Amino acid sequence: MSARYTPSVNIADLEESATIAVSARAKALRAAGRPIIDLGAGEPDFATPPYIKESAKRALDSGATRYTLTEGILPLREAIAARANERLGGGNVISAADVVVSTGSKQALFNSCFVLFGQGDDVLVPTPAWTSYYQMISLARARAVDVRGRRENSLKVSVRDLEQAATPRTRGVMLNSPTNPTGAVYELDELRAILALAASRGWWVVSDEIYREISYETPAPSLLDATQGDEALRERLVIVDGVAKAYAMTGWRIGWSIAPRQVAQAICALQSHTTSNASAVSQHAALCALTAREQSSTAIATMVAEFRRRRDAAAALLREASVDFIEPRGAFYLFVRVPQRDNDPQPGTTFARELLDEHDVAVVPGAAFRTPEWIRISYAAPMPDVLEGVRRVAALCVQR
Ligand code: GLU
């Protein structure tokens, strides 16, 4: 018999990641023989490009098997800083010392929340937002304050929405563009206005830019672009990015933060007690991804073109069926509002359950993103799966 376990106060509000749980369930059902179409996972279905895998093999052969500096190998941090400086019009504004490489952008985000926010702090979260922000803020003992985006603004928040939700305890805001789960993209002037508000109030801005290279109409701006011409705007800005989505490198677990020096040092100190460095061989693979410029831009363009084809086809099906959804301009998600039935407080959850149990399609319920009227479809899946899965979603919407 095992001793009774009482969860510690640290995880009093902890919930398992719903995005991860959906893909785990889809995989388990598939393994048990059910023909599940998995539109749950937010993971590119492409293989990591061969030249990146080759670079990892070479790195292993030349001894990349040991600890590295906690903050990551210098050439990778230099490459990350160089790219950031290009966005700022050249120069050496950002240095390798401002960069910490982590085990996925997830750890970079957690580190950022943990060193910036604490007990008594409110953090504004434009909602819907990726499920883990709310949990990370809560693990830092701060309070996530949902700021609902307006439907007519593709569920993005405006300066006014943020101002209305702010309290004297507000310490920061989490931004994410292109946005998971909606695919909405913030324009440069929207980012500028939010950054200016944050600067005037002394808030930290954590900008998760992991989907930035996956955008369809125009290149998605970075918060760094919004700081051009006003250095002071970078004083409270943390940019988080990684190689997972754009380079199809989810399993390599390489992300990073670019932060003001003291924050970078705090993140590094924290990470030195948790995981130390991110995987050495993966860091070398990420270095190749960032520095093999021509190969990488071709690889990304090819993947983005395929995502665009799927987006267009899936959106056309939803439009034909008069289903309400956000027009996605980046990332690889479609956010769909499901018809309300019987005053159900969790229509998205009920819908997702029925879709999986009776129609063999996995999607993530909108409740994971604090918008229970919606569901998230990932089109990071082969075209036939996307088409058939979205057809079933549309049919179920119409049927209800
Ligand atoms: N971020 C992806 C998603 O939203 C991957 C799973 C996760 O880490 O949440 O599906």
Side-chain angles (χ1 to χ4, degrees), residues 74-89:
L74 183 60
L76 176 57
R77 286 182 294 117
E78 282 174 343
I80 293 164
R83 289 200 155 210
N85 284 322
E86 278 167 26
R87 298 205 80 84
L88 296 172

Side-chain angles (χ1 to χ4, degrees), residues 129-344:
W130 180 49
T131 190
S132 293
Y133 300 150
Y134 307 100
Q135 294 288 317
M136 288 173 181
I137 291 165
S138 151
L139 285 168
R141 300 181 196 206
R143 190 171 68 123
V145 176
D146 305 6
V147 187
R148 235 354 232 268
R150 289 165 207 265
R151 174 66 188 85
E152 63 275 19
N153 194 24
S154 302
L155 299 178
K156 292 186 285 185
V157 298
S158 65
V159 160
R160 236 188 62 226
D161 300 325
L162 292 170
E163 270 172 336
Q164 278 168 1
T167 69
R169 293 151 54 122
T170 303
R171 280 288 306 274
V173 52
M174 304 290 291
L175 287 182
N176 170 223
S177 174
T179 304
N180 176 7
T182 59
V185 174
Y186 283 77
E187 306 292 342
L188 188 56
D189 57 347
E190 294 175 298
L191 295 180
R192 267 205 198 108
I194 293 174
L195 202 52
L197 170 71
S200 73
R201 302 283 180 98
W203 299 341
W204 290 101
V205 176
V206 178
S207 178
D208 175 359
E209 305 192 350
I210 191 71
Y211 297 99
R212 199 174 43 73
E213 300 208 54
I214 305 174
S215 76
Y216 305 113
E217 269 68 54
T218 48
S222 161
L223 253 281
L224 277 181
D225 305 333
T227 69
Q228 285 230 26
D230 190 351
E231 231 170 86
L233 292 175
R234 280 193 300 279
E235 280 170 12
R236 286 176 175 270
L237 174 61
V238 179
I239 303 278
V240 172
D241 203 343
V243 289
K245 312 290 188 187
Y247 300 85
M249 292 179 70
T250 46
W252 300 79
R253 310 308 301 131
I254 295 293
W256 55 81
S257 50
I258 305 175
R261 191 69 50 89
Q262 284 179 325
V263 177
Q265 283 164 351
I267 287 175
C268 185
L270 171 64
Q271 189 168 296
S272 76
H273 293 295
T274 54
T275 55
S276 307
N277 61 276
S279 155
V281 66
S282 295
Q283 291 188 57
H284 285 274
L287 175 61
C288 167
L290 294 189
T291 51
R293 287 293 180 103
E294 243 169 73
Q295 281 165 303
S296 286
S297 45
T298 308
I300 293 174
T302 309
M303 291 189 269
V304 170
E306 178 56 22
F307 283 138
R308 183 191 282 112
R309 240 167 45 86
R310 297 172 188 173
R311 175 200 68 158
D312 291 347
L317 287 176
L318 293 176
R319 232 173 267 123
E320 262 165 45
S322 303
V323 171
D324 184 14
F325 68 100
I326 305 294
E327 289 287 343
R329 297 183 50 228
F332 35 67
Y333 304 115
L334 274 160
F335 210 46
V336 171
R337 187 187 202 127
V338 302
Q340 175 61 265
R341 204 173 55 182
D342 307 330
N343 286 330
D344 183 354

Side-chain angles (χ1 to χ4, degrees), residues 345-367:
Q346 300 280 328
T349 307
T350 310
F351 185 98
R353 195 182 307 123
E354 195 174 324
L355 190 68
L356 184 61
D357 291 348
E358 290 167 31
H359 306 278
D360 290 336
V361 180
V363 297
V364 181

